[in-house]
Amino acid sequence: MPSIDKIIKNKSLAVANFFAWLDEFADDYDQIVQTFGAGLRKKLLSLRGVGPETADVLLIYVFDQVAFVSDKYARTLFGLLGVDGLKKYDDLARKVDMTGFTVADAQEFHGLIDEYGKKWLHPQAAFYDSFLGGDQLKL
């Protein structure tokens, strides 16, 4: 496992790289969205240190684009609800259809899943005492 110093250095470089990229557009988020369109997520993923979860969070909260954040809470919750095949980040993201969601809907959906996760998925056994305990979801 890498040392904490190396992790911090790498994350710092990734953040600095992201902000340098933003600076190329004079922090004009609308211009960035217009320039990359549907390819914005792919562009974000090409930036050093930006992975799928970070790209989706940036899409929703910085660039006001609809996306599904398939974070650990979401994968755990959907797995407990009976959705299979959630080994990797994109496995769940491909299954969730965000058609009809507004940006505000996507932000709220992500926030609700995270708040639920903080309360009911530590430990996972608490899930079964929640209002979703015993429910199944078909995607």
Side-chain angles (χ1 to χ4, degrees), residues 12-65:
S12 297
L13 289 172
V15 170
N17 185 50
F18 174 73
F19 282 109
W21 176 74
L22 277 180
D23 195 42
E24 291 175 27
F25 294 90
D27 297 331
D28 185 342
Y29 304 136
D30 291 334
Q31 180 189 1
I32 292 169
V33 171
Q34 288 174 1
T35 299
F36 294 99
L40 180 54
R41 185 176 192 269
K42 184 176 181 178
K43 177 59 183 172
L44 292 170
L45 290 170
S46 76
L47 299 174
R48 180 177 187 217
V50 176
E53 183 175 341
T54 301
D56 291 336
V57 167
L58 290 169
L59 285 172
I60 291 175
Y61 296 107
V62 174
F63 298 106
D64 292 330
Q65 302 295 300

Side-chain angles (χ1 to χ4, degrees), residues 70-84:
S70 179
D71 59 15
K72 180 66 174 165
Y73 283 138
R75 291 191 311 276
T76 300
L77 174 59
F78 280 65
L80 288 167
L81 289 170
V83 177
D84 294 327

Side-chain angles (χ1 to χ4, degrees), residues 2-16:
S3 72
I4 190 72
D5 290 338
K6 184 170 182 160
I7 292 169
I8 291 171
K9 181 179 179 185
N10 286 337
K11 187 53 74 176
S12 297
L13 289 172
V15 170

Side-chain angles (χ1 to χ4, degrees), residues 52-112:
E53 183 175 341
T54 301
D56 291 336
V57 167
L58 290 169
L59 285 172
I60 291 175
Y61 296 107
V62 174
F63 298 106
D64 292 330
Q65 302 295 300
V66 174
F68 177 74
V69 179
S70 179
D71 59 15
K72 180 66 174 165
Y73 283 138
R75 291 191 311 276
T76 300
L77 174 59
F78 280 65
L80 288 167
L81 289 170
V83 177
D84 294 327
L86 306 180
K87 300 283 185 213
K88 294 180 260 175
Y89 180 89
D90 288 330
D91 294 339
L92 178 58
R94 280 193 290 274
K95 293 180 183 213
V96 176
D97 182 4
M98 299 294 284
T99 303
F101 274 62
T102 65
V103 172
D105 294 337
Q107 291 171 342
E108 183 174 15
F109 192 37
H110 174 247
L112 290 170

